[in-house]
Amino acid sequence: MEQKIVFSGVQPSGELTIGNYIGAIKNWIELQDKYTCYYSIVDLHAITVPQVPKDLRKNTLDLLAIYLACGLDPEKSTIFIQSHVPAHLELTWVLNSISYMGQLSRMTQFKEKSQRSEENLNAALFTYPVLMAADILLYQTDLVPVGEDQKQHVELARDLAERFNNRYSETFKVPEPLIKKEGARIMSLQNPEKKMSKSDDNQNGYILILDDPDTIRRKVKRAVTDSKGEVKYNDEQLGIRNLMNIYSVFSGNTIEEIENKYDGLGYGDFKEDVAEVIIKELYPIQEKYNELINNKDYLEKVYSEGREKAEYVAMKTLRKVYRKVGFIQR
Ligand code: TYM
């Protein structure tokens, strides 16, 4: 039986939150032992919003060091920088030709982002999901491990794969999103109706993977809860529900186990423990990161070898696509 193929990526657009970690990277680690995995640092996606060039370079290497520190293993997975494999852009163009403007304008993330910056809307922000579809389809991907907010984009990739296959004959595998229940949508600690995001103006809303222990303790302590005073999982206690999800992912306890453990105890005790399980998991990652980030030669070796492996596979699909649409072989 052939091994399933996994593809996913994170944008190097600043520091990562535990939302990115829980929704994506943490799940990637488990998958590398079972499947053929491709994990990309999607710098082409990052320029859909303005970036300072030197920061983008730094953030790209930082993210690579974080991938490795979290446990991605270049011996098991292909780890690469998106802009190093031009096939992503070449396939994007072909997929643009079968993408409908109507469908792209209905993408939730585009609608949200375009409302925020109506004046200087760039075209890349609009076609961003097509680039993401190209990322996924180039590798004949079966599974795409992401957080809930990317589900609609993976569905677009499915649509485009099917549309292309119908029009030009079977070419792409139709991928599926892989979204874990507890970590699908980690919410802001300051507003549990909003997704935790590094672009939040309020720094207390998110915890960064590289936050030090005291910062983590302080942010969790300040997390918005309610006046019920019971650690119970329901739709009325959104702040507590979010903290329970976080605790569950980091401790491995089920929601039921957490409810039992904190039965009769107040939010103070619970919050202290939430902070400690986060610190316990992040501390070794931070130590590893600090080691790796100074080892530029090693990072370069990892992304160079990754590029070679990714490009080989991507070009196989791209050649097929170019032939099917009627381009003469180069
Ligand atoms: P990005 O960089 O915004 O986020 C990276 C991953 O983190 C997940 N995530 C969350 N999960 C749970 N709770 C949260 N609060 C939270 N915030 C972020 C995201 O769902 C994502 O999985 N377009 C993508 C990157 C991308 C990609 C791809 C992903 C480009 N090409 C191909 C998969 C396959 C993005 O901007 O993710």
Side-chain angles (χ1 to χ4, degrees):
M1 215 177 70
E2 260 190 45
Q3 246 189 4
K4 288 208 171 177
I5 295 171
V6 170
F7 184 98
S8 198
V10 173
Q11 295 193 46
S13 48
E15 292 175 283
L16 259 63
T17 71
I18 57 166
N20 299 124
Y21 177 71
I22 297 172
I25 304 176
K26 188 170 163 66
N27 302 325
W28 300 359
I29 312 294
E30 298 164 21
L31 296 167
Q32 28 173 30
D33 291 319
K34 277 199 280 183
Y35 302 126
T36 302
C37 299
Y38 297 87
Y39 296 124
S40 185
I41 295 160
V42 291
D43 53 351
L44 297 170
H45 276 92
I47 63 162
T48 55
V49 297
Q51 300 285 341
V52 177
K54 81 173 181 350
D55 293 348
L56 181 58
R57 263 189 294 274
K58 176 179 181 301
N59 289 336
T60 301
L61 286 184
D62 269 4
L63 185 51
L64 175 59
I66 287 188
Y67 276 8
L68 299 171
C70 288
L72 288 190
D73 179 351
E75 300 287 321
K76 295 180 186 165
S77 301
T78 300
I79 303 168
F80 70 102
I81 298 172
Q82 187 188 27
S83 65
H84 288 183
V85 182
H88 288 246
L89 294 168
E90 300 179 79
L91 180 59
T92 300
W93 185 251
V94 176
L95 295 178
N96 269 336
S97 75
I98 60 161
S99 296
Y100 302 134
M101 305 271 286
Q103 191 174 18
L104 295 183
S105 61
R106 283 192 299 276
M107 294 289 127
T108 313
Q109 202 175 61
F110 172 72
K111 283 198 286 189
E112 280 171 12
K113 287 197 180 170
S114 57
Q115 275 161 4
R116 262 188 263 146
S117 58
E118 246 164 76
E119 278 186 11
N120 292 316
L121 261 195
N122 66 62
L125 196 61
F126 186 67
T127 55
Y128 157 126
V130 184
L131 173 59
M132 178 160 159
D135 298 342
I136 296 167
L137 301 182
L138 270 179
Y139 299 89
Q140 304 295 345
T141 302
D142 296 282
L143 298 171
V144 187
V146 282
E148 185 72 38
D149 63 327
Q150 296 299 323
K151 187 171 172 209
Q152 197 184 27
H153 293 157
V154 180
E155 275 159 10
L156 179 82
R158 289 173 59 86
D159 276 1
L160 292 176
E162 280 167 356
R163 199 174 301 155
F164 189 95
N165 290 348
N166 286 334
R167 195 171 296 182
Y168 297 104
S169 83
E170 200 62 29
T171 308
F172 294 119
K173 189 113 51 95
V174 181
E176 275 179 46
L178 183 68
I179 300 172
K180 284 219 173 159
K181 197 166 134 272
E182 272 87 15
R185 199 170 165 80
I186 298 300
M187 309 309 280
S188 159
L189 300 181
Q190 289 297 309
N191 177 0
E193 293 187 48
K194 236 177 60 185
K195 188 185 78 165
M196 180 182 284
S197 161
K198 57 202 164 198
S199 54
D200 198 333
D201 294 332
N202 187 345
Q203 291 189 6
N204 288 322
Y206 53 79
I207 292 175
L208 299 173
I209 295 186
L210 298 180
D211 270 346
D212 61 63
D214 281 342
T215 307
I216 295 174
R217 287 190 191 102
R218 182 170 46 78
K219 288 181 177 174
V220 175
K221 204 167 173 184
R222 288 196 189 161
V224 169
T225 52
D226 55 77
S227 55
K228 290 206 168 162
E230 290 178 345
V231 181
K232 286 265 178 298
Y233 198 84
N234 59 60
D235 291 345
E236 277 142 45
Q237 295 173 266
L238 293 180
I240 284 294
R241 188 172 79 178
N242 189 39
L243 291 177
M244 289 176 81
N245 280 332
I246 295 173
Y247 187 94
S248 167
V249 171
F250 283 114
S251 67
N253 290 352
T254 63
I255 296 297
E256 207 188 342
E257 284 166 347
I258 301 171
E259 281 184 340
N260 291 336
K261 190 166 173 190
Y262 293 95
D263 189 26
L265 296 175
Y267 291 163
D269 290 316
F270 176 55
K271 279 181 163 180
E272 268 176 35
D273 291 357
V274 172
E276 293 316 312
V277 288
I278 300 174
I279 293 165
K280 189 166 167 226
E281 177 136 342
L282 294 188
Y283 188 70
I285 294 177
Q286 296 174 352
E287 286 212 306
K288 194 87 208 285
Y289 164 84
N290 288 330
E291 232 174 77
L292 285 162
I293 198 60
N294 293 315
N295 195 344
K296 294 283 183 303
D297 289 347
Y298 177 64
L299 295 178
E300 190 181 326
K301 178 171 175 281
V302 170
Y303 70 65
S304 305
E305 289 177 3
R307 180 199 68 82
E308 215 169 296
K309 286 196 272 175
E311 181 139 62
Y312 178 79
V313 178
M315 280 312 291
K316 264 209 314 215
T317 301
L318 188 74
R319 274 195 295 273
K320 214 193 248 182
V321 169
Y322 270 21
R323 196 172 64 239
K324 296 214 181 180
V325 300
F327 296 158
I328 287 175
Q329 210 181 339
R330 38 179 132 162

